[in-house]
Amino acid sequence: MSESRALQLHRFFVRLAFPGVLFVWVVGFAQVSRITHDVRTSFVITVLAYAFAHLVLFWGSALCAPHVREGVRRLLVLGTLVLSIALAYAGVSLTSLQSETMTLWTLLIFATTWGLYRALYAIPYRAHAEMSLRSPRVVPEVVLALAPFLFALLTVFFGFSFACGIASLCALCSLIPLAHLREVYEPFEWSITETVINVFVPHNRPLVM
């Protein structure tokens, strides 16, 4: 399998898991709302958790970026594993919680792992994509467009935990094509402070958006 094809297949499975992330935020909001009986408070809590995920992404990117010197594929594998664990954890936890405190902790832990996944994954993926990614194909894009609907059907007929388990499994399956990617060691000379400063440079923002 060529590197370009392997990267496309990897990305297909990762994106197939993404509806799970969306539904985690929706179900998390619903769970907080059910326990607190206050929609506005639940909305604020969910937004704050989502903002915290971006805070983790921001600082995580600065901390993880220098590790591209140790191998780009390695970071892709770690990031994908974090995504799979986050989905599995949220699927099990959000459907079995009864207390407000535990629900808030679950949202906080998911926000942390979601931000960490993006921090580990974004820069290494761009490094590989610039070298080997081809134009997307029509059929996979159609399947991905239907993925949220398919996830909703799984949730309705088999439950949220099962649907998140499938999403987590998709993320794990995406690791298989990574075996066909060669390891790339990127030079990285910025300190953490320089990395944080360069995040605000317009040219570099797409790496963490």
Side-chain angles (χ1 to χ4, degrees):
M1 184 186 297
S2 67
E3 284 199 345
S4 179
R5 178 60 179 160
L7 193 60
Q8 275 195 329
L9 194 57
H10 161 73
R11 190 59 181 168
F12 171 78
F13 280 107
V14 169
R15 291 174 64 191
L16 204 57
F18 278 178
V21 176
L22 172 62
F23 275 74
V24 166
W25 290 113
V26 173
V27 172
F29 166 76
Q31 285 288 81
V32 175
S33 181
R34 180 181 64 83
I35 294 172
T36 62
H37 304 289
D38 188 337
V39 174
R40 284 181 294 183
T41 300
S42 304
F43 179 77
V44 171
I45 289 173
T46 306
V47 169
L48 288 175
Y50 188 75
F52 181 75
H54 283 77
L55 185 64
V56 173
L57 166 63
F58 178 82
W59 289 107
S61 297
L63 293 172
C64 294
H67 291 282
V68 296
R69 291 176 295 202
E70 301 166 13
V72 171
R73 187 179 65 178
R74 175 174 168 271
L75 290 181
L76 285 176
V77 170
L78 288 175
T80 306
L81 283 174
V82 170
L83 173 63
S84 179
I85 292 170
L87 287 168
Y89 169 77
V92 172
S93 299
L94 284 177
T95 53
S96 60
L97 298 175
Q98 299 297 327
S99 69
E100 180 180 353
T101 302
M102 290 304 297
T103 303
L104 294 178
W105 271 111
T106 297
L107 276 180
L108 184 63
I109 291 172
F110 178 77
T112 302
T113 51
W114 170 240
L116 182 59
Y117 149 71
R118 296 179 66 191
L120 286 165
Y121 189 91
I123 294 176
Y125 175 75
R126 288 297 182 94
H128 262 297
E130 289 179 359
M131 293 183 292
S132 56
L133 195 60
R134 298 181 298 184
S135 300
R137 298 183 178 183
V138 174
V139 175
E141 291 299 316
V142 172
V143 173
L144 291 171
L146 294 173
F149 175 70
L150 297 175
F151 189 93
L153 287 180
L154 288 174
T155 301
V156 169
F157 288 105
F158 300 102
F160 179 69
S161 294
F162 180 84
C164 277
I166 296 297
S168 177
L169 184 60
C170 286
L172 283 179
C173 288
S174 74
L175 293 173
I176 298 174
L178 291 182
H180 296 273
L181 293 182
R182 71 183 187 279
E183 186 62 279
V184 176
Y185 302 92
E186 290 285 333
F188 195 92
E189 299 177 353
W190 292 340
S191 65
I192 292 178
T193 303
E194 289 175 309
T195 304
V196 171
I197 293 173
N198 277 278
V199 166
F200 293 98
V201 176
H203 176 72
N204 296 323
R205 285 177 193 162
L207 294 175
V208 292
M209 294 300 289

